[in-house]
Amino acid sequence: MTYGMIATWEMAYDGLQKGLAHLKNSGTAADALEKAICAVEDEPTFQSVGYGGLPNAQGVVEMDSAYMDGNTFQLGAVAGITDVKNPIKVARKLSHEKFNSFLVGAGATAYAKEVGFTMTEMLTEKAAQAYQERLKAMAESNLSPYDGHDTVGMVSLDDTGSMVAGTSTSGLFMKRPGRVGDSPLAGSGLYVDAEVGGACATGLGEDLMKGCLSYEIVRLMKAGLTPQAACDEAVYSFDAELTKRYGKAGAFSLIAMNNTGDWGVATNVEFTFVVGNVNQEVTLYTARPDNQGGTIIQAQ
Amino acid sequence: MTYGMIATWEMAYDGLQKGLAHLKNSGTAADALEKAICAVEDEPTFQSVGYGGLPNAQGVVEMDSAYMDGNTFQLGAVAGITDVKNPIKVARKLSHEKFNSFLVGAGATAYAKEVGFTMTEMLTEKAAQAYQERLKAMAESNLSPYDGHDTVGMVSLDDTGSMVAGTSTSGLFMKRPGRVGDSPLAGSGLYVDAEVGGACATGLGEDLMKGCLSYEIVRLMKAGLTPQAACDEAVYSFDAELTKRYGKAGAFSLIAMNNTGDWGVATNVEFTFVVGNVNQEVTLYTARPDNQGGTIIQAQ
């Protein structure tokens, strides 16, 4: 018997504890992931996911989320959705649809409302204040408006061998209305095959989607690489290739877990992530590139 | 010197002739592709792309398009955009943006208007009539509302070795507002690496995005496979895997061209496509699976 979860960023710590407790009690990978991501979405102090997320250039919190079932490859996703308390729940529900499983913009919001998901204003007072301050700072200087692309991404494995992956984000602070990053895109933001493993991404979505890194990591694991070797190979070779071709690679960080609960990570920036499995309590790690094709990982 | 273009569906025939004529006169792969896709978008009798495209469940023509530059991996995409004469032009323009290069819904439409692209009502009288007839037929029987997922996808190679890929579609007829398929998604609807080749998809987007087939075909070509072998390997193995895991694989068809102008195709249904290159005038082909892992291709 084995089970485990891995997630991007320190903000996933509490959520992962809830998810792992669920797995410990023979809960499903799917429910564990939903609980864990909802915990991140619901926490107002996290400024890049769900409630409390930073708004777009018009002051509206637009969110992206995706859910993938590694047993069936079923996928559900939303992008540019507003006023929905838990985008991951909408994505999961959509994964059961044969048609219309990826919805964007006003259509996504209308669907969530129609189906009966909890709707709420997602812009907190603190996020509104950050928005006003940024507007002021932009007016005063040549400040680049964009930052805060910290997606929560998770891979979850339960003791029946089922695997799922999910992502949730409010995207780039001050993004153009309707901007979508890699998070809701299969192959870029997430990918999972329960016979192999899963992977998720966080970072500059515009660059991540140029490389389909989540798909590539799962493919490399299928070809026999460990999760760590697969992450290193996919991330650092693409970082080098994108730098060569495009001049610069944005920040990106990938996590992976295989179907035995082993895990890996690779990143071209300082990055925190959280892991727990049958052998290990939930642990916070930092990761950074060793600049020789590998990753330096330290438990906190 | 070599150049070439490949495109999904017979509807691309006239567009490909325009594109190929441009390449013959040392035009760029990018301009040839834009001309060719605009020709398909502008033709009102084509019911699944651009002007004349069939509308969503609310009678609105919502379009998806993507553009990828194989030299730099730059990507631009729109989804659920309305009232824009040529979505491929918007996608190409967005590919030059470092941030906000994938826009959806009302934000995408607002961007196109702001930047000055030609805006127009995309619902033709004929498409509106087809919509009314479908509503009536659905009220009278248990007819599945969804069909017409014929995306135009193209790969273009010019005599400098530059390669680009692009897609454009109005998506599923009677789709939910905001529904997005594979067409605007890098790795699923299209992928291109000018040092290797490119690929595009058409078919049921909900299933295509489960497999990242355009990325996989380019990867297999990079590993040394011919375009035909890469298409066969990626498409038929995923068709079998999806059928095993999910019970059924929707219709999908993939085309590919490598950086020497050789091409390939694989499909799990009857499919038409168009090819032209330095050695060959624009030719219409049909393709179907041989059910032994290969593809039967016949010139028309």
Side-chain angles (χ1 to χ4, degrees):
Chain A
M1 180 180 115
T2 189
Y3 57 80
M5 291 183 86
I6 186 166
T8 56
W9 302 113
E10 181 172 3
M11 64 179 163
Y13 189 91
D14 291 349
L16 216 71
Q17 284 201 309
K18 288 181 190 174
L20 211 71
H22 189 72
L23 292 175
K24 206 174 278 184
N25 292 319
S26 299
T28 65
D31 289 340
L33 179 126
E34 182 180 313
K35 277 177 203 294
I37 291 184
C38 282
V40 184
E41 288 177 338
D42 289 342
E43 174 53 54
T45 62
F46 301 150
Q47 298 200 301
S48 57
V49 179
Y51 186 64
L54 292 170
N56 70 16
Q58 292 181 342
V60 177
V61 181
E62 286 186 331
M63 298 164 291
D64 307 331
S65 179
Y67 175 92
M68 184 169 185
D69 180 326
N71 295 23
T72 59
F73 299 131
Q74 283 171 297
L75 268 163
V78 291
I81 198 169
T82 61
D83 304 305
V84 171
K85 186 169 176 284
N86 293 111
I88 189 66
K89 290 188 181 183
V90 187
R92 183 180 176 187
K93 167 100 177 160
L94 284 170
S95 73
H96 299 294
E97 300 291 330
K98 183 168 171 50
F99 302 105
N100 303 305
S101 52
F102 185 177
L103 299 177
V104 302
T109 308
Y111 167 82
K113 201 169 173 180
E114 183 187 318
V115 170
F117 286 104
T118 308
M119 308 299 288
T120 184
E121 169 60 59
M122 299 298 279
L123 185 70
T124 59
E125 206 169 304
K126 193 179 157 200
Q129 200 178 337
Y131 171 70
Q132 292 301 337
E133 281 163 12
R134 182 60 67 103
L135 282 183
K136 196 164 157 247
M138 282 164 61
E140 286 167 0
S141 68
N142 233 344
L143 191 67
S144 164
Y146 306 115
D147 63 17
H149 41 59
D150 294 357
T151 295
V152 64
M154 294 190 188
V155 180
S156 174
L157 162 72
D158 69 30
D159 62 12
T160 71
S162 285
M163 296 192 79
V164 300
T167 58
S168 186
T169 184
S170 52
L172 282 182
F173 183 27
M174 300 300 289
K175 65 187 175 186
R176 256 193 183 273
R179 178 267 184 186
V180 175
D182 64 299
S183 302
L185 311 187
S188 294
L190 78 172
Y191 199 79
V192 59
D193 177 342
E195 294 184 5
V196 179
C200 291
T202 178
L204 183 63
E206 282 79 354
D207 282 358
L208 275 161
M209 68 177 84
K210 297 177 171 93
C212 294
L213 294 181
S214 291
Y215 173 84
E216 180 65 13
I217 287 170
V218 174
R219 190 193 71 74
L220 289 167
M221 290 195 291
K222 190 174 183 180
L225 270 64
T226 64
Q228 187 55 48
C231 287
D232 286 343
E233 169 60 25
V235 170
Y236 300 122
S237 67
F238 183 67
D239 180 68
E241 196 64 21
L242 189 60
T243 303
K244 191 179 88 179
R245 303 283 197 97
Y246 182 55
K248 186 173 190 298
F252 45 76
S253 309
L254 277 287
I255 56 167
M257 179 169 276
N258 69 13
N259 67 348
T260 66
D262 289 336
W263 53 269
V265 59
T267 176
N268 64 4
V269 289
E270 287 276 342
F271 172 61
T272 60
F273 65 102
V274 192
V275 186
N277 60 30
V278 67
N279 303 312
Q280 179 186 7
E281 292 297 302
V282 175
T283 309
L284 172 67
Y285 293 89
T286 58
R288 57 190 165 88
D290 72 4
N291 298 319
Q292 296 171 41
T295 308
I296 297 163
I297 299 168
Q298 291 173 303
Q300 291 303 291
Chain B
M1 181 180 117
T2 189
Y3 58 79
M5 291 183 86
I6 186 167
T8 57
W9 302 113
E10 182 173 0
M11 63 177 162
Y13 190 91
D14 290 350
L16 217 71
Q17 284 201 308
K18 286 181 190 173
L20 211 71
H22 190 73
L23 292 175
K24 206 174 280 184
N25 291 320
S26 300
T28 65
D31 288 339
L33 179 127
E34 183 181 311
K35 275 176 204 294
I37 291 184
C38 282
V40 184
E41 288 175 338
D42 288 342
E43 173 52 55
T45 62
F46 301 149
Q47 296 199 302
S48 57
V49 179
Y51 185 63
L54 291 170
N56 70 14
Q58 292 181 342
V60 177
V61 181
E62 286 186 332
M63 299 163 290
D64 306 332
S65 179
Y67 175 93
M68 184 167 185
D69 181 324
N71 294 23
T72 58
F73 300 130
Q74 283 171 299
L75 268 163
V78 291
I81 197 169
T82 61
D83 304 305
V84 171
K85 187 168 176 283
N86 293 110
I88 188 66
K89 288 188 181 183
V90 187
R92 183 181 176 185
K93 168 102 178 158
L94 284 169
S95 74
H96 299 294
E97 299 292 329
K98 182 168 171 50
F99 302 105
N100 303 304
S101 53
F102 186 177
L103 299 178
V104 303
T109 307
Y111 168 81
K113 202 170 171 178
E114 183 187 319
V115 171
F117 286 104
T118 307
M119 308 299 288
T120 184
E121 168 61 58
M122 298 300 278
L123 186 70
T124 59
E125 208 168 299
K126 194 182 159 200
Q129 201 178 334
Y131 172 70
Q132 292 300 337
E133 281 164 12
R134 182 58 67 102
L135 282 182
K136 197 165 158 250
M138 284 165 60
E140 286 168 3
S141 69
N142 234 344
L143 192 69
S144 164
Y146 306 115
D147 63 15
H149 41 58
D150 294 356
T151 295
V152 64
M154 295 189 188
V155 180
S156 175
L157 162 72
D158 69 29
D159 63 12
T160 71
S162 285
M163 294 192 79
V164 299
T167 58
S168 185
T169 184
S170 52
L172 282 182
F173 184 25
M174 301 300 289
K175 65 187 175 186
R176 256 192 182 274
R179 176 268 185 187
V180 174
D182 63 297
S183 302
L185 311 187
S188 294
L190 79 172
Y191 200 79
V192 58
D193 177 341
E195 293 183 6
V196 179
C200 291
T202 178
L204 184 63
E206 282 78 355
D207 282 359
L208 274 162
M209 68 178 84
K210 296 176 171 93
C212 294
L213 294 181
S214 292
Y215 173 83
E216 180 64 13
I217 287 170
V218 174
R219 189 194 70 76
L220 288 167
M221 291 194 291
K222 192 174 182 179
L225 271 64
T226 64
Q228 187 55 47
C231 286
D232 286 343
E233 169 62 25
V235 169
Y236 300 121
S237 66
F238 183 67
D239 181 68
E241 196 64 20
L242 189 61
T243 303
K244 191 179 90 180
R245 302 284 195 94
Y246 182 55
K248 186 176 189 296
F252 45 76
S253 309
L254 277 286
I255 55 167
M257 180 170 274
N258 70 13
N259 67 347
T260 66
D262 290 337
W263 53 270
V265 58
T267 176
N268 63 3
V269 290
E270 287 276 344
F271 171 61
T272 59
F273 65 100
V274 192
V275 186
N277 59 31
V278 66
N279 304 312
Q280 180 187 6
E281 291 298 299
V282 174
T283 309
L284 172 67
Y285 293 88
T286 60
R288 58 191 166 88
D290 71 4
N291 299 317
Q292 296 172 40
T295 307
I296 297 164
I297 299 168
Q298 292 174 303
Q300 293 301 291

PDB file of all heavy atoms in Angstrom, chain A residues 198-215:
ATOM      1  N   GLY A 198       2.355  11.687 -12.508  1.00  0.00           N
ATOM      2  CA  GLY A 198       1.811  12.971 -12.918  1.00  0.00           C
ATOM      3  C   GLY A 198       2.794  14.097 -12.673  1.00  0.00           C
ATOM      4  O   GLY A 198       3.771  13.932 -11.940  1.00  0.00           O
ATOM      5  N   ALA A 199       2.500  15.253 -13.288  1.00  0.00           N
ATOM      6  CA  ALA A 199       3.357  16.429 -13.128  1.00  0.00           C
ATOM      7  C   ALA A 199       2.510  17.691 -13.216  1.00  0.00           C
ATOM      8  O   ALA A 199       1.452  17.699 -13.838  1.00  0.00           O
ATOM      9  CB  ALA A 199       4.436  16.448 -14.205  1.00  0.00           C
ATOM     10  N   CYS A 200       2.984  18.750 -12.552  1.00  0.00           N
ATOM     11  CA  CYS A 200       2.331  20.058 -12.594  1.00  0.00           C
ATOM     12  C   CYS A 200       3.392  21.143 -12.701  1.00  0.00           C
ATOM     13  O   CYS A 200       4.535  20.948 -12.278  1.00  0.00           O
ATOM     14  CB  CYS A 200       1.548  20.328 -11.311  1.00  0.00           C
ATOM     15  SG  CYS A 200       0.093  19.308 -11.110  1.00  0.00           S
ATOM     16  N   ALA A 201       2.944  22.288 -13.219  1.00  0.00           N
ATOM     17  CA  ALA A 201       3.861  23.399 -13.442  1.00  0.00           C
ATOM     18  C   ALA A 201       3.401  24.654 -12.724  1.00  0.00           C
ATOM     19  O   ALA A 201       2.217  24.844 -12.467  1.00  0.00           O
ATOM     20  CB  ALA A 201       3.954  23.692 -14.934  1.00  0.00           C
ATOM     21  N   THR A 202       4.349  25.525 -12.427  1.00  0.00           N
ATOM     22  CA  THR A 202       4.050  26.888 -11.983  1.00  0.00           C
ATOM     23  C   THR A 202       5.138  27.783 -12.534  1.00  0.00           C
ATOM     24  O   THR A 202       6.278  27.358 -12.728  1.00  0.00           O
ATOM     25  CB  THR A 202       3.968  26.988 -10.452  1.00  0.00           C
ATOM     26  OG1 THR A 202       3.724  28.355 -10.086  1.00  0.00           O
ATOM     27  CG2 THR A 202       5.244  26.527  -9.784  1.00  0.00           C
ATOM     28  N   GLY A 203       4.777  29.020 -12.813  1.00  0.00           N
ATOM     29  CA  GLY A 203       5.755  29.949 -13.375  1.00  0.00           C
ATOM     30  C   GLY A 203       5.103  30.803 -14.432  1.00  0.00           C
ATOM     31  O   GLY A 203       3.888  30.978 -14.432  1.00  0.00           O
ATOM     32  N   LEU A 204       5.913  31.331 -15.346  1.00  0.00           N
ATOM     33  CA  LEU A 204       5.370  32.193 -16.395  1.00  0.00           C
ATOM     34  C   LEU A 204       4.663  31.323 -17.448  1.00  0.00           C
ATOM     35  O   LEU A 204       5.294  30.665 -18.270  1.00  0.00           O
ATOM     36  CB  LEU A 204       6.488  33.015 -17.045  1.00  0.00           C
ATOM     37  CG  LEU A 204       5.983  34.003 -18.107  1.00  0.00           C
ATOM     38  CD1 LEU A 204       5.058  35.050 -17.505  1.00  0.00           C
ATOM     39  CD2 LEU A 204       7.144  34.654 -18.838  1.00  0.00           C
ATOM     40  N   GLY A 205       3.337  31.354 -17.397  1.00  0.00           N
ATOM     41  CA  GLY A 205       2.531  30.484 -18.255  1.00  0.00           C
ATOM     42  C   GLY A 205       2.808  30.664 -19.731  1.00  0.00           C
ATOM     43  O   GLY A 205       2.791  29.695 -20.501  1.00  0.00           O
ATOM     44  N   GLU A 206       3.059  31.917 -20.129  1.00  0.00           N
ATOM     45  CA  GLU A 206       3.317  32.190 -21.542  1.00  0.00           C
ATOM     46  C   GLU A 206       4.519  31.389 -22.041  1.00  0.00           C
ATOM     47  O   GLU A 206       4.543  30.980 -23.209  1.00  0.00           O
ATOM     48  CB  GLU A 206       3.568  33.683 -21.752  1.00  0.00           C
ATOM     49  CG  GLU A 206       2.317  34.546 -21.758  1.00  0.00           C
ATOM     50  CD  GLU A 206       1.750  34.857 -20.376  1.00  0.00           C
ATOM     51  OE1 GLU A 206       2.259  34.309 -19.377  1.00  0.00           O
ATOM     52  OE2 GLU A 206       0.796  35.655 -20.290  1.00  0.00           O
ATOM     53  N   ASP A 207       5.512  31.175 -21.177  1.00  0.00           N
ATOM     54  CA  ASP A 207       6.673  30.393 -21.586  1.00  0.00           C
ATOM     55  C   ASP A 207       6.465  28.903 -21.343  1.00  0.00           C
ATOM     56  O   ASP A 207       6.896  28.074 -22.146  1.00  0.00           O
ATOM     57  CB  ASP A 207       7.931  30.877 -20.857  1.00  0.00           C
ATOM     58  CG  ASP A 207       8.468  32.157 -21.498  1.00  0.00           C
ATOM     59  OD1 ASP A 207       7.885  32.631 -22.507  1.00  0.00           O
ATOM     60  OD2 ASP A 207       9.478  32.686 -21.003  1.00  0.00           O
ATOM     61  N   LEU A 208       5.791  28.556 -20.252  1.00  0.00           N
ATOM     62  CA  LEU A 208       5.558  27.138 -19.968  1.00  0.00           C
ATOM     63  C   LEU A 208       4.817  26.446 -21.098  1.00  0.00           C
ATOM     64  O   LEU A 208       5.111  25.309 -21.456  1.00  0.00           O
ATOM     65  CB  LEU A 208       4.773  26.994 -18.660  1.00  0.00           C
ATOM     66  CG  LEU A 208       5.635  26.995 -17.401  1.00  0.00           C
ATOM     67  CD1 LEU A 208       4.782  27.312 -16.178  1.00  0.00           C
ATOM     68  CD2 LEU A 208       6.345  25.657 -17.219  1.00  0.00           C
ATOM     69  N   MET A 209       3.847  27.146 -21.680  1.00  0.00           N
ATOM     70  CA  MET A 209       3.055  26.473 -22.718  1.00  0.00           C
ATOM     71  C   MET A 209       3.836  26.283 -24.018  1.00  0.00           C
ATOM     72  O   MET A 209       3.430  25.518 -24.869  1.00  0.00           O
ATOM     73  CB  MET A 209       1.707  27.169 -22.932  1.00  0.00           C
ATOM     74  CG  MET A 209       1.742  28.522 -23.521  1.00  0.00           C
ATOM     75  SD  MET A 209       0.040  29.182 -23.781  1.00  0.00           S
ATOM     76  CE  MET A 209      -0.375  29.863 -22.180  1.00  0.00           C
ATOM     77  N   LYS A 210       4.983  26.938 -24.131  1.00  0.00           N
ATOM     78  CA  LYS A 210       5.841  26.714 -25.300  1.00  0.00           C
ATOM     79  C   LYS A 210       6.519  25.342 -25.246  1.00  0.00           C
ATOM     80  O   LYS A 210       7.054  24.877 -26.250  1.00  0.00           O
ATOM     81  CB  LYS A 210       6.922  27.797 -25.394  1.00  0.00           C
ATOM     82  CG  LYS A 210       6.368  29.210 -25.600  1.00  0.00           C
ATOM     83  CD  LYS A 210       7.472  30.262 -25.614  1.00  0.00           C
ATOM     84  CE  LYS A 210       6.968  31.627 -26.023  1.00  0.00           C
ATOM     85  NZ  LYS A 210       6.574  32.501 -24.917  1.00  0.00           N
ATOM     86  N   GLY A 211       6.508  24.703 -24.052  1.00  0.00           N
ATOM     87  CA  GLY A 211       7.299  23.481 -23.907  1.00  0.00           C
ATOM     88  C   GLY A 211       6.545  22.224 -23.543  1.00  0.00           C
ATOM     89  O   GLY A 211       7.128  21.142 -23.557  1.00  0.00           O
ATOM     90  N   CYS A 212       5.261  22.334 -23.180  1.00  0.00           N
ATOM     91  CA  CYS A 212       4.486  21.133 -22.805  1.00  0.00           C
ATOM     92  C   CYS A 212       5.237  20.282 -21.780  1.00  0.00           C
ATOM     93  O   CYS A 212       5.324  19.048 -21.906  1.00  0.00           O
ATOM     94  CB  CYS A 212       4.166  20.279 -24.028  1.00  0.00           C
ATOM     95  SG  CYS A 212       3.066  21.078 -25.167  1.00  0.00           S
ATOM     96  N   LEU A 213       5.769  20.949 -20.749  1.00  0.00           N
ATOM     97  CA  LEU A 213       6.685  20.272 -19.843  1.00  0.00           C
ATOM     98  C   LEU A 213       6.019  19.218 -18.959  1.00  0.00           C
ATOM     99  O   LEU A 213       6.645  18.219 -18.614  1.00  0.00           O
ATOM    100  CB  LEU A 213       7.418  21.296 -18.971  1.00  0.00           C
ATOM    101  CG  LEU A 213       8.367  22.230 -19.753  1.00  0.00           C
ATOM    102  CD1 LEU A 213       9.057  23.187 -18.795  1.00  0.00           C
ATOM    103  CD2 LEU A 213       9.399  21.426 -20.527  1.00  0.00           C
ATOM    104  N   SER A 214       4.764  19.427 -18.558  1.00  0.00           N
ATOM    105  CA  SER A 214       4.119  18.408 -17.717  1.00  0.00           C
ATOM    106  C   SER A 214       3.947  17.104 -18.496  1.00  0.00           C
ATOM    107  O   SER A 214       4.229  16.017 -17.981  1.00  0.00           O
ATOM    108  CB  SER A 214       2.762  18.915 -17.206  1.00  0.00           C
ATOM    109  OG  SER A 214       2.953  19.965 -16.272  1.00  0.00           O
ATOM    110  N   TYR A 215       3.508  17.226 -19.738  1.00  0.00           N
ATOM    111  CA  TYR A 215       3.396  16.029 -20.587  1.00  0.00           C
ATOM    112  C   TYR A 215       4.762  15.372 -20.747  1.00  0.00           C
ATOM    113  O   TYR A 215       4.905  14.140 -20.626  1.00  0.00           O
ATOM    114  CB  TYR A 215       2.829  16.408 -21.964  1.00  0.00           C
ATOM    115  CG  TYR A 215       2.842  15.259 -22.927  1.00  0.00           C
ATOM    116  CD1 TYR A 215       1.810  14.330 -22.938  1.00  0.00           C
ATOM    117  CD2 TYR A 215       3.910  15.069 -23.805  1.00  0.00           C
ATOM    118  CE1 TYR A 215       1.841  13.248 -23.808  1.00  0.00           C
ATOM    119  CE2 TYR A 215       3.946  13.996 -24.678  1.00  0.00           C
ATOM    120  CZ  TYR A 215       2.907  13.085 -24.674  1.00  0.00           C
ATOM    121  OH  TYR A 215       2.937  12.012 -25.533  1.00  0.00           O
TER     122      TYR A 215
END
